[in-house]
Amino acid sequence: MELTTHIDLDADKSLARVALIGSLNTDTAPGFALRLDEAIAAEMDLTVLDMAELDYISSAGLRVIFKAAKQIKGAERKLAAANRKPHIDKVFEILKALPDIAVFADDSEMDEYLTAMQDQVRDE
Amino acid sequence: MSGHSLATRLSYLLAACIAGMALLTTLVDYQLSRRVILEQVAADTSRIINDTRYDLDAQLRGVEQATRLFAQLLARQQYAPDEIKQQLRIMVESRTDIFGGAVAVAPAYTADYAGFAPYYYRPPSGPLTYLNLAESMSNYSDQPWFKDTANTGRPHWSEPYYDAGGGETLMATYSVPLYRADTNGRSLIGVVTTDLALTSLSSQLEGLQLGEAGFALLLSRRGMIIAGPANALLMQPLLNMLPAGQDPQVWQTLLDSAANAMPNSSPVPCIRQDGDCLVHMTPLATTGWPLGVYYSETEMLAPLRSLLLRMALSELASLMLVLVLVHFLSRQLTRPLAALVSVTDNIARGYLDAPLPRTPRDDEVGRLVRSFAAMQRNLREHIAKLQRETASRNRLEGELDAARDIQYAMIPDAGSTRVYRERVSLWAELRPARSVGGDFYWYRLAGQQLLIVVGDVSDKGVPAALFMSRAITLLQQHAATASDPSLLMAALNDELCEGNDNCMFVTLFCGIIDLDSLVLRFASGGHTPASLVREGQSISLDQDTGPALGLQDEQDFPINEVQLKATDRLVVFTDGIDEAFNPAKEQLGLDRFNQLLGDGYAQVIEQAGAEALMAVERHADGEAQSDDITLLLLDLMPAKTKDACYQIPAPAAAKTSTEVTPVADGTIGPLLDWLQAQTAGPLSDAAQGELMLVTEEAVTNAIRYGRLADDSAIAISLVVFPDYLLIQISDPGIAFNPLEEAKGAELGLETAAAPIGGLGVHLLKTLTDHQSYQRQADRNILRLTKTLPSAEEKHGIDHSH
């Protein structure tokens, strides 16, 4: 029941991709919190939690994501989740957690979103 | 003391009475005194007027007499001019009130052609001065004073006049004709006159006592002012001199009356002041001159006014004195009452020993104080008695609580049984109607033989509890060796009949199930029939029953036999359930109970039991539980697949009650690993994940908030049945029911508003099918059951062997 976190920063797209692999539980939540702080510190416009390989999440893990969402929202930036497995999705649904963050079903959805964002920036 | 104490009220009342009486007296006094004083003033004034008139008349009359006497002297014999002059001088000199005197000899009787009219007068300073009027005026016999006197032949007073060239003063002249007898009878030989200076009259009027505003006036017959106050303009018509605001008509009327020798008076407006004023007008007897007196009634009443003011002040002073006295006296009288009030307040606050005021008096107040003392004493005794009774009731309740604990100790698992064994799950609850009751149950598993007993002692309360303890003790003795329910009951009946003079009795269900053959053999001693729930239908088992136990010995209890199926649920209960009343006094009844048992068939045993009890409560709808309730559920099933236990030692607890104990790193991971390993076979990945999730939430909750003692541990038991699994988390922390007391976070809020935490309880309730909480033996026991996907089609699956 370990958790591995990969952080991939893309300055061009101003995107921080945080990939969670394994189980986000009471034990692994504190370590993940530190990693997520690193990603947020990069101050990208969009921070995406890639849950493609996340098998398990408990309320301890959700608390870390809540805190990060509040922090990012306060800094006028965005947090999004991508590739949630059905049973992970179910937990979010039960708790009606973070109703206002962007959720991408897969990478292509995320790319569309990023393109739209960049277009918007160019229009301005 | 408030402003409306008895004393104050009494003072006010008395003061008002006294003030009213004083006011009335003063008013009456004033009216009476006023009349008396006004009469007095009128009398005084009329006396003053009469005196003044008398004086004036006397003075005028003196002049008249002196003049007439002198005239008679001269008439008696013939005098030489020098002698006349001499006599005149003597007369004028002797009469100081006379300003001057003259003898005007008729021209016919004088030797001198110009006539002879000697005149002596007193100038304002210096000696008598002589003047021969024959020399100073021509034809004195033509002067009105001579001619008028000669014509009328009678003495008379002239109108007052200003004597210019003579005495230079205001005067009036009295003229007397001088006759001498002769052949013609008598002949006028001259006129004797005397002059009166009117200033002497003025000084007389000024001395009158008529108050500040009052004054007297002497008028001529023509209404001229001839004497009056110092500032009066003499020889002016009074009517022209009236001050503004006076009605000339009034004064004219007065003058007219005087002219007709009639005294008269009239009220007039006051001059230069307020109030009522009066004028008296009366003519002099001698000259007919009106004498007027003006005075202010108000001024005359001024002494009365000041007297009244002084009276009022002294009455006010007395009133104040009376007030103080009355207040003091009434305070004296009501002091025990005031003290009584404060004692009452104290008694109301619970100080029953507050001392009462002492009063030796025998009046109403004294009697009140004494009866109050009696009341206080009685109250004290009553409350002491009440306290004793309360204490004894509390002791009794304490003893009943202890009795209930003892009674519960005799019943397996203290009246709340959850047993999950191979091939059988047993769930039982006992809820007494009073703190001690007469229901009981018992079970014993020996080999493959499961004995279950459910009993209901007649009546409730302490006697029933005592009989029940006797029954259950005997039952335990006999059950050890019994293999036949019928024999067991017969033996028990015989024992219970011994010494049962109170005729207490017990109804009993006693059954033995062979877990291999699933044959139920049972006997009933007048007990409510048990229910069999089979494939969603619940029916009351037909039974051949014996009598209730304890009434008569040597009884037979027929045996009943039922072949059970592995999917069956057997439900044994006492009549507290089917005879539960609702507010409309309707019983729940066996039919309705069977109906709800059938409906709950698909539920796991935990849930089905809890739901059945809740249904009974719902039926009662607030009506007090009239009888003890015992409910026993028994599920038969194939052997369970897994039974495992995991322990987490308690971490060092937080130091304060508000602190949260952190979950040590490496606590949860191994637990999740263990769970995963235990459930790898029967559970899908998703179900496994959910089971892990709820377990993690429950366990972290217990660690964080349980304040677990050192050397204690959280026990996690997992029982996997073919159609459901049960996870039980038992922790020795402080009593806490997460299902009811945990503060769940409000869900669905936007990120900014959403609280961090409070999510675990939502997950617990959502991801499991049934949750129950119990506090047992100082442990929190949370049981979560989760139906396995295959069990959702239970009715369609054949579980029988």
Side-chain angles (χ1 to χ4, degrees), chain A residues 33-94:
Chain A
L34 294 176
R35 293 287 283 154
L36 189 55
D37 281 348
E38 282 174 32
I40 291 167
E43 299 193 346
M44 296 297 165
D45 283 345
L46 181 64
T47 304
V48 176
L49 300 174
D50 186 350
M51 301 183 178
E53 291 181 69
L54 182 66
D55 296 324
Y56 176 92
I57 187 166
S58 74
S59 68
L62 279 169
R63 272 201 291 276
V64 175
I65 297 175
F66 265 40
K67 278 185 193 164
K70 277 176 189 272
Q71 198 182 337
I72 287 174
K73 186 130 185 152
E76 299 291 326
R77 286 180 283 130
K78 284 195 163 67
L79 181 74
N83 305 321
R84 294 200 298 220
K85 285 185 180 171
H87 63 274
I88 302 289
D89 225 18
K90 185 176 178 186
V91 174
F92 273 86
E93 265 169 34
I94 289 169

Side-chain angles (χ1 to χ4, degrees), chain B residues 424-459:
Chain B
V424 69
S425 294
L426 187 65
W427 182 101
E429 281 279 334
L430 190 158
R431 292 187 181 174
R434 294 186 197 167
S435 51
V436 288
D439 273 15
F440 64 91
Y441 69 85
W442 200 67
Y443 69 91
R444 179 166 167 267
L445 184 62
Q448 294 304 307
Q449 303 291 307
L450 172 65
L451 169 70
I452 52 173
V453 179
V454 172
D456 179 4
V457 175
S458 60
D459 207 352

Side-chain angles (χ1 to χ4, degrees), chain B residues 696-758:
Chain B
E696 174 180 341
E697 301 299 343
V699 170
T700 53
N701 215 35
I703 295 175
R704 283 172 201 275
Y705 307 109
R707 303 188 52 69
L708 302 168
D710 295 345
D711 301 331
S712 63
I714 301 176
I716 300 109
S717 320
L718 175 73
V719 191
V720 184
F721 300 101
D723 50 358
Y724 71 99
L725 57 83
L726 171 89
I727 187 126
Q728 173 180 296
I729 296 117
S730 156
D731 74 78
I734 54 172
F736 183 75
N737 178 355
L739 302 175
E740 288 183 358
E741 295 168 52
K743 213 174 88 188
E746 191 180 340
L747 299 181
L749 294 175
E750 297 226 330
T751 308
I756 294 171

Side-chain angles (χ1 to χ4, degrees), chain B residues 70 74 80-89 92 100-105 110 115-121 129-135 140 145 191-193:
Chain B
F70 184 56
L74 288 182
D82 280 351
E83 283 173 333
I84 295 172
K85 198 174 151 190
Q86 184 61 30
Q87 291 290 338
L88 180 66
R89 182 191 173 92
V92 172
V103 180
V105 182
T110 59
F116 177 59
Y119 177 54
Y120 275 101
Y121 73 100
T129 306
Y130 172 73
L131 203 65
N132 185 357
L133 295 175
E135 291 166 7
Y140 57 79
W145 51 271
V191 171
V192 176
T193 68

Side-chain angles (χ1 to χ4, degrees), chain A residues 17 83 104-115:
Chain A
R17 182 190 285 264
N83 305 321
F104 308 120
D106 50 38
D107 283 3
S108 62
E109 254 185 39
M110 186 170 72
D111 287 339
E112 273 173 36
Y113 177 83
L114 285 171
T115 314

Side-chain angles (χ1 to χ4, degrees), chain B residues 176-246:
Chain B
V176 176
L178 195 59
Y179 291 100
R180 185 168 294 157
D182 59 12
T183 49
N184 295 337
R186 61 172 194 177
S187 299
L188 181 79
I189 58 169
V191 171
V192 176
T193 68
T194 43
D195 298 334
L196 182 69
L198 296 182
T199 44
S200 63
L201 301 183
S202 282
S203 61
Q204 216 167 346
L205 294 186
E206 278 168 21
L208 295 182
Q209 295 293 315
L210 291 166
E212 289 283 314
F215 57 86
L217 277 174
L218 190 61
L219 303 168
S220 74
R221 275 188 294 245
R222 290 182 193 159
M224 300 289 182
I225 302 170
I226 53 178
N231 58 351
L233 285 170
L234 300 181
M235 291 310 288
Q236 296 291 331
L238 171 67
L239 294 180
N240 294 350
M241 291 291 103
L242 290 175
Q246 296 292 329

